[in-house]
Amino acid sequence: MEEKKRAKFSGNLGYVLATAGSAVGLGNIWRFPYLAAKYGGGIFILIYIILGVTFGYTLIISETVLGRISRKSPIGAFKHFSQSRLGRVGGWLNAIVPVIIVPYYCVIGGWVLRYLTEYIVGNSEKVVREGYFTDFITSASGSEVFFLLFSMITLLVVVLGVNAGVERISTLMMPVLMILAALIAVYSITRPGALEGVRYALVPDFSKFSFMTVVAAMGQMFYSLSIAMGILYTFGSYMKRDVDIERSTYQVAIVDSLVAILAVLMVIPSIFAFADGDVSGKLNAGPALLFISLPNVFADMAGGKIVGILFFVMVLFAALTSSIALLESTVSTLEDEFHLGRKGASAVMALVIVVLGSLSSLGYNLLSDMRLLGMQFLDFFDFLSNSVLMPIGAMATCILIFRCVGIAAVTEEVERSSKFGSKRMYAIILKYLAPVLLGIILVSSVLNTLGIIAI
């Protein structure tokens, strides 16, 4: 009876676009191009793709299957298979991550919304003024208003429900996002002087291969595919029994990789053309790339105002599809575990977003003197969720399958709707490689945040 009441995606397309939308986010646009440039361009992308269709594929399959079998979000899924401490702690680890991420993600989404607004009203010259970004985020009122606007859009979509909200918006935004990304990439690679950047980005140079290239690609892949964020459990629980899990998983990985590559082609060739081939010190990770470097590149382009509008529409869609998926996971958990209605669960999360998001938003202005472990609120929440909780949460999923579920049960569920041609690879990676790779991700992420190594 419970399963009949649970919302379901309409089919394969709805699941793939919603899940791909959760995966395609700001990390693809502001971190992937930076890492690709830093670690050899083509060789980094090659390693990323290999990891995505092996290691990433294995973790996506695992979480999706556990969600579909249990018909629950993370906490309920873990309890479905284990009543032990692992079942309690592992589920909460996966469930708490989106609660931490979505508030500060809405803050960054508000920054995107502000820049898009400036481009639309014709203030493209204003955004490239030195200090504009710093002035904006250090203004309490300006930053807070756009954070709240972005949050309201995200909440509205989730309140509408799985089909009318999450699935419908994803099936609209994802195709538009990919078309815009392709158009901007084509425009970028046809700029004078951009060809060298294209060659650097796409042609693997094996002389640039190193262990840190693998570590950086592995960390980026892990975060890009929405692993250990509760999303895949939740979306798996919405998946119909006849949807081909294996094919859908590969489609999600392909869409995510395609957008990441398009992001590289949007950014690296443009920077090469803008900097006359000298990109040292001009290609940064994070907000500096999105809100400082690229607007300056657009200002130097013919038709840069139009490109800027299209670019920030694309980025806004990427941010929204991810924030919607994160919020949906938290709302689903509140519905399952505390028996709240969708509106009630959304209201609870609205309060959480306003409180935690305001800490991140005001951490650059009114609360700038307050630090957690020496970090501003947004950086601390990002560190806690991405560097600590997510790798541990993924390890908990692997342990759950080893001890309680069994690879045979996972295989049986996948083969309900799929041939599962990669089941041998799945078993080998989950049993032997995943724990080691997740350990490397955890250690390298913490060391990178602490400044001991640089990724």
Side-chain angles (χ1 to χ4, degrees):
M1 193 70 178
E2 182 180 321
E3 184 170 326
K4 291 181 180 178
K5 294 181 179 179
R6 191 167 188 81
K8 294 183 178 70
F9 289 121
S10 60
N12 179 74
L13 182 62
Y15 167 79
V16 169
L17 290 179
T19 307
S22 73
V24 174
L26 296 173
N28 292 69
I29 298 167
W30 76 21
R31 191 168 186 265
F32 190 91
Y34 164 77
L35 291 176
K38 182 177 180 179
Y39 290 104
I43 188 64
F44 176 87
I45 292 176
L46 177 62
I47 294 170
Y48 178 87
I49 292 173
I50 293 172
L51 287 169
V53 298
T54 53
F55 179 45
Y57 158 89
T58 298
L59 295 178
I60 294 174
I61 283 278
S62 298
E63 294 189 20
T64 304
V65 164
L66 297 181
R68 190 164 85 167
I69 292 174
S70 65
R71 290 297 178 194
K72 292 288 185 180
S73 45
I75 296 173
F78 268 77
K79 289 194 296 187
H80 178 87
F81 295 105
S82 173
Q83 295 298 319
S84 67
R85 182 178 297 177
L86 170 66
R88 296 192 300 272
V89 176
W92 278 101
L93 279 172
N94 281 270
I96 201 69
V97 167
V99 177
I100 296 172
I101 292 178
V102 73
Y104 77 75
Y105 207 92
C106 285
V107 172
I108 301 170
W111 299 349
V112 176
L113 189 59
R114 168 63 177 262
Y115 268 65
L116 175 59
T117 302
E118 294 284 33
Y119 270 93
I120 289 175
V121 300
N123 289 337
S124 58
E125 296 87 356
K126 182 179 177 182
V127 300
V128 297
R129 189 187 68 211
E130 185 175 355
Y132 174 82
F133 177 64
T134 301
D135 291 343
F136 164 55
I137 65 173
T138 54
S139 166
S141 58
S143 179
E144 190 75 2
V145 165
F146 281 92
F147 149 61
L148 293 174
L149 284 173
F150 185 91
S151 302
M152 286 174 59
I153 297 170
T154 301
L155 283 159
L156 176 61
V157 173
V158 172
V159 168
L160 291 174
V162 174
N163 299 113
V166 178
E167 182 176 352
R168 181 173 295 176
I169 292 299
S170 297
T171 54
L172 169 66
M173 287 188 175
M174 280 305 297
V176 174
L177 184 156
M178 295 183 70
I179 291 170
L180 289 176
L183 289 173
I184 297 168
V186 169
Y187 185 85
S188 172
I189 65 180
T190 55
R191 296 304 88 204
L195 188 58
E196 188 62 30
V198 176
R199 185 179 296 110
Y200 180 84
L202 296 184
V203 179
D205 182 352
F206 289 90
S207 68
K208 297 183 182 298
F209 176 83
S210 69
F211 175 70
M212 287 306 297
T213 304
V214 178
V215 171
M218 188 162 52
Q220 177 65 24
M221 178 278 307
F222 182 76
Y223 305 131
S224 290
L225 293 177
S226 297
I227 296 163
M229 296 184 185
I231 294 170
L232 296 171
Y233 280 96
T234 302
F235 284 8
S237 75
Y238 298 154
M239 179 188 277
K240 291 182 176 179
R241 294 287 187 187
D242 60 350
V243 172
D244 189 319
I245 289 182
E246 183 173 41
R247 185 180 67 180
S248 299
T249 298
Y250 276 125
Q251 288 171 340
V252 169
I254 289 169
V255 170
D256 176 76
S257 298
L258 178 60
V259 173
I261 292 170
L262 288 173
V264 168
L265 293 177
M266 283 188 286
V267 174
I268 293 180
S270 294
I271 299 292
F272 262 78
F274 175 71
D276 295 324
D278 178 18
V279 296
S280 58
K282 296 182 176 64
L283 190 57
N284 302 305
L289 173 66
L290 203 59
F291 300 112
I292 299 175
S293 300
L294 287 177
N296 276 284
V297 171
F298 299 151
D300 197 51
M301 288 180 172
K305 293 181 181 179
I306 300 299
V307 175
I309 291 174
L310 296 178
F311 176 79
F312 279 103
V313 168
M314 182 207 68
V315 177
L316 179 64
F317 282 9
L320 278 171
T321 53
S322 293
S323 65
I324 289 166
L326 287 161
L327 182 58
E328 176 61 32
S329 179
T330 65
V331 166
S332 178
T333 295
L334 291 173
E335 288 179 306
D336 288 347
E337 301 305 314
F338 299 98
H339 309 293
L340 298 175
R342 178 159 288 263
K343 290 182 179 178
S346 299
V348 171
M349 280 309 303
L351 179 62
V352 172
I353 289 172
V354 169
V355 173
L356 295 185
S358 293
L359 289 177
S360 295
S361 175
L362 300 178
Y364 292 96
N365 38 76
L366 296 181
L367 304 178
S368 60
D369 291 333
M370 298 181 65
R371 293 286 192 274
L372 293 173
L373 298 181
M375 292 178 265
Q376 290 173 316
F377 286 105
L378 191 152
D379 295 328
F380 173 77
F381 292 140
D382 183 63
F383 164 72
L384 180 62
S385 56
N386 285 273
S387 299
V388 180
L389 295 179
M390 285 169 55
I392 297 174
M395 288 180 186
T397 295
C398 294
I399 294 171
L400 182 69
I401 294 175
F402 293 150
R403 291 187 176 180
C404 307
V405 182
I407 291 177
V410 173
T411 300
E412 181 182 351
E413 179 63 26
V414 175
E415 289 181 339
R416 285 177 180 268
S417 56
S418 315
K419 292 181 179 179
F420 205 8
S422 301
K423 62 183 175 183
R424 182 172 297 179
M425 179 192 76
Y426 171 85
I428 291 172
I429 292 176
L430 192 73
K431 189 173 183 180
Y432 299 108
L433 293 180
V436 175
L437 298 180
L438 288 170
I440 292 172
I441 290 172
L442 174 60
V443 172
S444 62
S445 297
V446 172
L447 293 180
N448 177 62
T449 303
L450 297 177
I452 298 173
I453 64 173
I455 299 177

